[in-house]
Amino acid sequence: MNQPRLHDHAIRRRGLDWPRLLHGLVLAVCTAWLIGYFFPPLNHDTAVLLYISKIWLNGGQLYVDAIDINTPLVFVIHLLPEAIAKVTGLPGTTVLVALLGLGIACSFLTCRWVLAASLDPAHTTADALLPLLLLFLLIVYPGESFSQREHIMLVLAMPYLLVASGRADGEELSKKLKIITGLMAGFGFAMKPYFLGIPLFVELYVLWQIGFRRTISDPAPWSVLTVCVAHALFALIVTPEYFTVALPLAYSFYSDVSQNSLLDLALGANLGPPTLVLPLLGIAAFLAVQSHLARVIFLAGMGCLLSAYAQAKGWPYHAMPAQALTLLLAGVIIAYVMDHVVWPKRGDTRPAKLFAASLMLLVFYQEGLHSRPFFKQLEYGDSSLRRLLHIVRQETRNDRILILSPGIYPHFPLINYAKLQMTMRFESMWLLQGAYAECQDLAPLYNPPESMSPAEAFVFRTVPEDFYKKKPSLLIVDNVAGVPRCQEEAFNYLDYFSRNPLFAKRLEDYDKILDYDRYTIYRRREKP
């Protein structure tokens, strides 16, 4: 029993324990990587969610004063960093990254705890590799998608997935652990309806393994279900406008923006690799590797993959959870083979640490081949966001601004950093992108007000009303509307909205001050 320990001690006396040092170095790099996300710019989608949550926190009405298609729970989650920021005086963008770091630490510690509590004593490689890989996937791998809803879901759900593998294995895990990890995962899964397939697949597998009687008395699935039901009730009672305002707009416009066919998604750079590799690893997980952890990760990965397909956009952050779980599943299978086939009986942990650190260095190398870490942060000083922020800070006379653009970057996080308020209820003109996604033969460039759909008429009415009433000090117009040319004419936001008398009347108070990049900037004249 003491021979391996004496052997390790003798090696350490002869010199440095290089496997342990290399393993610790990879761990330190993964942890320190988090620091880079505190530097600007914040992810633009996250900036929008923080901005809307701040409006809600300060007394605004969700889906009335600020309209977005995300579910109420998304804004509840982003309300927390803004509430802490309001109390502490720290920027909400900083608090959000700190909270995500705390969640990642919980996932890491849960992973270590579940592995240590495993009934299978042969998991030395898993102990050395999986926590490192988990940190890499939750901190390093997201890159630009760090703090996206899919990333938050993965952070909140990972402890639940690890505990689910223990539940399927019959481990005696505490009810407190099951409830806490279930509630955390519930907040992650309930953010988007697309995510609900993940716990469904996992719980069906656990049911298959331990039977109905044990599953029905297990608090983990009930904790997830409780959050989902509570979210639905919250939306119905507190924010009914989500169903009467946000969802109709999403149905009318959002589905027409960047829609892709299943074939295009399957052959795309983001969903193509997990679509091909994940099922192959799933075959190994079910037929070759007797590991509940591998099977749970595979089923969760399939849920993430179907979620990305259901959203039909193929955007990088939609695919990120499926990609991450594909890598994690590969790591679980490798660790299982090493622990049960290559060196099943040994007491020396040094080879496992050396193997894990070497494999992680290979993963870092592969990641570096196709992505440049923190390139937006490194180029922030000379970025369009930084220059536009400088212009806005010089020219604003009040805290209100109106930006007419199809995108949300660099306007977000510019508005967050400058502490401004958008006068319209929408973060961008994506609604008009949906309304004018196609140009019919002989169709007018702009729909006449009397023939507009109810959703477009709502946009055409409310944007000028808010512009007229709130009198923003700056008006920024994107000259690239993101709308196809129609009858050889380009879509122009000022021409479109000036057909509304309120918009045309208020526009008379503005003078053009400069053209910058693709934007024309107007400033409101100060009244004598």
Side-chain angles (χ1 to χ4, degrees):
M1 289 293 293
N2 294 328
Q3 192 66 29
R5 294 181 182 177
L6 293 174
H7 178 68
D8 285 352
H9 181 66
I11 291 174
R12 285 194 291 271
R13 288 186 61 185
R14 288 199 297 267
L16 294 174
D17 189 347
W18 288 109
R20 185 185 296 267
L21 286 174
L22 187 59
H23 186 271
L25 175 63
V26 176
L27 176 64
V29 170
C30 288
T31 304
W33 203 275
L34 185 68
I35 298 172
Y37 295 112
F38 284 96
F39 293 92
L42 182 72
N43 178 277
H44 49 278
D45 286 328
T46 303
V48 170
L49 300 176
L50 286 173
Y51 166 78
I52 295 177
S53 298
K54 188 175 182 179
I55 292 177
W56 192 20
L57 179 66
N58 291 331
Q61 189 173 355
L62 194 59
Y63 306 118
V64 175
D65 298 311
I67 299 175
D68 187 89
I69 63 171
N70 281 284
T71 62
L73 183 57
V74 171
F75 298 108
V76 170
I77 290 174
H78 288 81
L79 205 64
L80 178 59
E82 285 296 340
I84 295 175
K86 190 172 184 178
V87 173
T88 62
L90 294 171
T93 53
T94 300
V95 177
L96 176 67
V97 177
L99 289 175
L100 271 174
L102 181 62
I104 291 168
C106 291
S107 289
F108 175 77
L109 294 174
T110 304
C111 180
R112 297 292 298 268
W113 192 91
V114 170
L115 288 171
S118 173
L119 298 177
D120 182 2
H123 53 68
T124 309
T125 308
D127 279 339
L129 175 62
L130 298 186
L132 286 185
L133 185 56
L134 184 69
L135 274 188
F136 173 85
L137 295 175
L138 294 182
I139 297 178
V140 180
Y141 188 75
E144 287 188 75
S145 298
F146 189 90
S147 76
Q148 279 279 11
R149 289 140 294 177
E150 275 74 3
H151 179 231
I152 294 174
M153 180 274 291
L154 205 57
V155 171
L156 292 173
M158 193 60 71
Y160 159 81
L161 298 179
L162 296 168
V163 169
S165 70
R167 291 164 50 216
D169 204 27
E171 295 178 13
E172 293 298 327
L173 302 173
S174 71
K175 286 187 177 181
K176 183 178 179 180
L177 178 66
K178 294 178 182 179
I179 292 172
I180 292 175
T181 56
L183 291 175
M184 286 176 58
F187 276 93
F189 296 140
M191 280 195 295
K192 285 187 175 184
Y194 305 107
F195 296 157
L196 296 179
I198 303 170
L200 177 62
F201 292 162
V202 170
E203 291 303 330
L204 286 176
Y205 176 75
V206 175
L207 173 65
W208 176 41
Q209 291 299 310
I210 66 176
F212 179 79
R213 180 174 297 179
R214 291 186 64 184
T215 301
I216 202 71
S217 61
D218 193 327
W222 295 110
S223 299
V224 175
L225 183 61
T226 297
V227 176
C228 295
V229 172
H231 178 216
L233 293 175
F234 179 90
L236 285 169
I237 298 170
V238 180
T239 60
E241 294 81 9
Y242 175 70
F243 301 99
T244 59
V245 176
L247 286 185
L249 289 175
Y251 178 78
S252 299
F253 294 142
Y254 188 71
S255 60
D256 294 326
V257 179
S258 302
Q259 192 83 354
N260 290 293
S261 67
L262 288 177
L263 182 61
D264 290 337
L265 293 172
L267 297 178
N270 295 318
L271 285 177
T275 299
L276 176 64
V277 176
L278 185 59
L280 296 177
L281 291 175
I283 294 174
F286 273 88
L287 300 182
V289 176
Q290 302 300 314
S291 167
H292 293 294
L293 180 57
R295 295 172 180 179
V296 166
I297 297 300
F298 165 71
L299 292 171
M302 288 301 299
C304 292
L305 190 61
L306 293 177
S307 164
Y309 273 101
Q311 295 179 76
K313 308 297 184 186
W315 292 338
Y317 68 89
H318 287 169
M320 190 270 292
Q323 294 171 351
L325 290 182
T326 300
L327 284 169
L328 182 60
L329 176 56
V332 170
I333 293 174
I334 290 172
Y336 183 90
V337 172
M338 298 301 292
D339 282 332
H340 293 80
V341 179
V342 178
W343 46 46
K345 294 181 180 180
R346 69 189 190 285
D348 188 359
T349 62
R350 297 172 72 252
K353 289 184 179 297
L354 182 61
F355 173 79
S358 301
L359 187 61
M360 286 305 304
L361 290 176
L362 179 63
V363 172
F364 266 99
Y365 172 72
Q366 180 61 34
E367 178 68 9
L369 290 178
H370 69 82
S371 66
R372 181 182 165 202
F374 300 116
F375 72 94
K376 281 193 174 182
Q377 284 82 359
L378 293 171
E379 296 176 353
Y380 175 71
D382 195 39
S383 65
S384 59
L385 166 58
R386 180 71 179 273
R387 293 194 292 270
L388 195 59
L389 179 60
H390 177 71
I391 294 170
V392 167
R393 281 175 170 164
Q394 280 189 322
E395 300 297 339
T396 49
R397 299 295 182 266
N398 58 31
D399 63 350
R400 295 183 293 278
I401 191 172
L402 174 60
I403 302 175
L404 300 175
S405 174
I408 56 177
Y409 182 86
H411 324 123
F412 293 93
L414 178 149
I415 289 177
N416 306 71
Y417 295 152
K419 299 181 180 179
L420 299 175
Q421 182 177 348
M422 187 88 89
T423 58
M424 69 177 179
R425 309 165 199 207
F426 315 101
E427 69 266 18
S428 73
M429 288 285 96
W430 64 267
L431 306 108
L432 295 185
Q433 277 188 291
Y436 292 89
E438 297 180 358
C439 175
Q440 304 296 331
D441 292 338
L442 303 179
L445 180 60
Y446 309 121
N447 293 326
E450 61 274 9
S451 64
M452 290 179 178
S453 67
E456 184 188 356
F458 178 72
V459 177
F460 185 73
R461 174 179 61 84
T462 58
V463 171
E465 285 178 354
D466 295 340
F467 180 52
Y468 185 83
K469 178 182 178 181
K470 297 181 180 179
K471 304 175 185 177
S473 60
L474 284 184
L475 168 64
I476 299 179
V477 180
D478 194 332
N479 296 309
V480 181
V483 172
R485 296 178 69 90
C486 196
Q487 319 313 335
E488 301 303 320
E489 294 185 75
F491 194 99
N492 181 280
Y493 289 123
L494 292 186
D495 292 343
Y496 176 83
F497 284 112
S498 290
R499 297 178 302 150
N500 186 306
L502 286 178
F503 191 93
K505 176 66 176 176
R506 182 57 66 209
L507 188 60
E508 294 175 359
D509 298 336
Y510 289 78
D511 296 317
K512 176 181 174 180
I513 57 173
L514 62 93
D515 289 308
Y516 170 71
D517 197 14
R518 54 191 275 180
Y519 308 101
T520 301
I521 303 176
Y522 301 84
R523 183 177 59 206
R524 183 170 175 264
R525 290 189 298 275
E526 296 185 17
K527 299 297 183 180

